[in-house]
Amino acid sequence: MMREAKLRTSPAAVVDNLNSTPDTVPRHVDCIVGARPNFVKIAPIIRALREQNGLAVRLIHTGQHYDVTMNAVFFEELDIPCADINLEVGSGTGTEQTARIMLGLEPVLRAGRPDLVLVVGDVNSTMAAALVAAKLNIPIAHVEAGLRSFDRAMPEEINRLVTDRLADLLFVTERHGIDNLIKEGLHPERVKFVGNVMIDTVCACLDRAVPARKTLSEVGANADFINAAMKTGFGFVTLHRPSNVDDPVKLKSLVEALVDVARKICLVFPLHPRTRAKMVNAGLDRLCGESGIVTTPPLSYLHALGLMREAKLAITDSGGVQEETTALGVPCLTVRDNTERPSTVEEGTNLLVGTSPAALMPAVEDIIATGGKTGRIPALWDGKAAIRIAQDVCAFLNVEHAYARSIRHRLETGPLESSPCA
Ligand code: UD1
């Protein structure tokens, strides 16, 4: 109770409070995850935070994603420790999910009383956890802060706006994020430009990525498809945003555009459960099969990374794929009118083609003819973002010890060997 009364939302007050805590007491950090892209982001962060003694770190899973292919396989491949607590909220509308996460998380945070709650990304679990922490007066760190599509029809945009407003530490992946947060009136002292933890995971996993040929054979692609894909190249496709897949008419026109594209280049299309359900309802899965597009269940991280690395191009509406293809130097066509990750367009290999199916074919033909857009890797996408985050978390929580010094040493050495920048 004493402690609760002492914690206030102003960062200076929080730091004062922590400064008065003896150094021997470990600071407690609760990391919250819920959905597939969260797992890719949390893996390097958990590693970096747990590598030292001054922090006690718990992992709390909301259960937003629960299928083995969307969840367990990522924990295994990315070596994420088992969650300490799983709220098992499951599926529902955004509001239902948010409400269930809030109800489940409140008693957990009330009992555990962490010194910091760390949330990643922009999914419903991110915002719900930030709301609960804020209501309990627990400081919040948000990893991937400041990204804005300026499109409030996207559920993620609402999640980003709310989470950033409530966060005490805002970890930014690209410079635009800093500008957005400052324009929104957030205090510059709270904003930390650390780079991109998605790219930390790319760097950590490239050596283990599954070769495309092996994946294609595992998913049952026939020999002709595999030979053609290996010889003339293939496109890697993902679509799952409600705005692209929920309306059957829109989805049909996009799938028909993919069928056209597949006449020029082999396509591999892992289906998100949402997309699969909508395609099955509309009979579009059969259309894909007949046209030679290879559809697969959701792929593991190492399988997806291997396909992306070898692809001639990607067609996607995913935020993560836009970033990963920029890091890998693979041309990416984003089937959206906007992106909250403008560095991937300005500096990287990403091109926004919009959601009109007619725009897809000319963009694909251009890549086939010219090799597509080349780019450079944005600043601090160097495989060390999680180390910077751990350093800032330690500073915020006043954890000054050998580890903080060892992190500094690692930051001062060159890029990691497997970094796309190396
Ligand atoms: C969520 C995120 C999105 C992220 C995506 C990655 C929000 C608002 N959206 O969208 O930003 O890019 O995750 O996948 O949080 N389902 C399963 N098994 C699962 C999980 C979901 O079958 O393990 C099905 C359910 O039918 C569910 C649907 O997929 O209704 C959508 O899942 P949901 O968690 O609501 O959002 P995503 O579309 O996955």
Side-chain angles (χ1 to χ4, degrees):
M1 200 52 214
M2 276 280 292
R3 194 127 179 262
E4 198 166 330
K6 268 193 185 175
L7 282 169
R8 281 156 287 165
T9 44
S10 123
V14 170
V15 170
D16 282 353
N17 176 61
L18 292 163
N19 279 339
S20 66
T21 312
D23 268 353
T24 47
V25 177
R27 313 294 196 250
H28 290 258
V29 179
D30 279 353
C31 298
I32 319 290
V33 291
R36 186 171 61 176
N38 290 170
F39 311 143
V40 181
K41 289 166 196 158
I42 208 69
I45 298 173
I46 286 274
R47 246 193 323 276
L49 293 178
R50 282 198 169 161
E51 257 181 25
Q52 49 76 50
N53 300 321
L55 298 178
V57 183
R58 285 199 305 183
L59 182 62
I60 300 174
H61 193 323
T62 66
Q64 178 177 342
H65 284 176
Y66 43 84
D67 281 357
V68 170
T69 54
M70 301 286 285
N71 174 43
V73 74
F74 284 76
F75 275 68
E76 201 182 305
E77 283 190 350
L78 301 179
D79 203 19
I80 305 170
C82 271
D84 297 285
I85 293 165
N86 192 322
L87 305 176
E88 296 182 354
V89 299
S91 296
T93 66
T95 304
E96 282 166 349
Q97 261 177 351
T98 305
R100 274 194 243 129
I101 295 164
M102 290 183 71
L103 289 173
L105 191 57
E106 184 183 8
V108 173
L109 293 188
R110 214 179 255 290
R113 203 69 234 177
D115 297 299
L116 184 74
V117 163
L118 183 142
V119 296
V120 295
D122 56 14
V123 303
N124 292 332
S125 299
T126 311
M127 180 188 72
L131 277 167
V132 177
K135 288 197 172 285
L136 294 176
N137 242 346
I138 298 168
I140 300 159
H142 181 208
V143 176
E144 208 183 82
L147 297 183
R148 297 289 181 268
S149 64
F150 303 101
D151 172 6
R152 290 198 183 189
M154 265 183 105
E156 293 83 357
E157 183 74 354
I158 307 297
N159 296 340
R160 294 180 199 118
L161 284 163
V162 173
T163 306
D164 285 344
R165 199 69 222 173
L166 300 176
D168 299 278
L169 267 180
L170 296 125
F171 292 117
V172 174
T173 54
E174 58 173 88
R175 291 190 203 283
H176 293 281
I178 308 173
D179 301 340
N180 293 335
L181 293 171
I182 302 301
K183 274 189 210 142
E184 287 172 20
L186 288 155
H187 198 290
E189 224 175 79
R190 296 180 178 202
V191 180
K192 312 280 177 193
F193 180 36
V194 291
N196 193 334
V197 286
M198 289 290 276
I199 310 309
D200 290 16
T201 300
V202 169
C203 292
C205 293
L206 263 184
D207 290 350
R208 290 187 294 135
V210 179
R213 178 184 284 280
K214 184 160 186 282
T215 301
L216 292 175
S217 133
E218 280 173 18
V219 300
N222 67 41
D224 287 347
F225 182 94
I226 298 177
N227 289 336
M230 293 297 108
K231 201 163 157 227
T232 52
F234 63 91
F236 176 77
V237 182
T238 78
L239 293 174
H240 76 284
R241 299 226 157 265
S243 56
N244 279 336
V245 305
D246 280 4
D247 171 13
V249 176
K250 177 85 170 282
L251 181 60
K252 183 165 183 281
S253 67
L254 282 175
V255 170
E256 284 170 351
L258 291 176
V259 167
D260 277 347
V261 167
R263 295 196 184 99
K264 303 268 175 187
I265 183 167
C266 303
L267 294 181
V268 187
F269 186 3
L271 296 181
H272 184 286
R274 171 196 285 280
T275 311
R276 178 174 293 280
K278 303 289 177 189
M279 284 180 58
V280 169
N281 281 346
L284 295 169
D285 52 329
R286 280 198 310 276
L287 184 61
C288 274
E290 286 156 15
S291 68
I293 298 173
V294 167
T295 59
T296 79
L299 292 176
S300 81
Y301 183 77
L302 294 177
H303 285 85
L305 183 62
L307 282 177
M308 247 184 291
R309 175 173 59 181
E310 290 182 49
K312 203 178 192 96
L313 59 98
I315 298 172
T316 193
D317 60 7
S318 146
V321 172
Q322 292 174 57
E323 295 182 338
E324 288 157 345
T325 48
T326 273
L328 295 167
V330 173
C332 178
L333 302 175
T334 295
V335 186
R336 286 176 49 187
D337 295 320
N338 53 52
T339 178
E340 61 288 335
R341 294 160 161 89
S343 288
T344 60
V345 175
E346 291 165 12
E347 299 181 66
T349 54
N350 191 16
L351 185 71
L352 289 179
V353 288
T355 57
S356 151
L360 199 55
M361 187 59 129
V364 168
E365 283 175 332
D366 180 63
I367 294 174
I368 293 171
T370 67
K373 205 175 160 191
T374 53
R376 62 170 186 267
I377 293 170
L380 301 188
W381 290 23
D382 59 358
K384 295 181 177 182
I387 300 174
R388 295 187 190 95
I389 288 169
Q391 186 178 42
D392 285 332
V393 164
C394 286
F396 182 78
L397 297 176
N398 192 29
V399 178
E400 181 55 63
H401 50 68
Y403 174 66
R405 284 194 294 278
S406 92
I407 301 176
R408 269 198 290 279
H409 171 72
R410 285 164 61 190
L411 283 172
E412 279 154 17
T413 56
L416 297 183
E417 254 171 50
S418 55
S419 157
C421 298

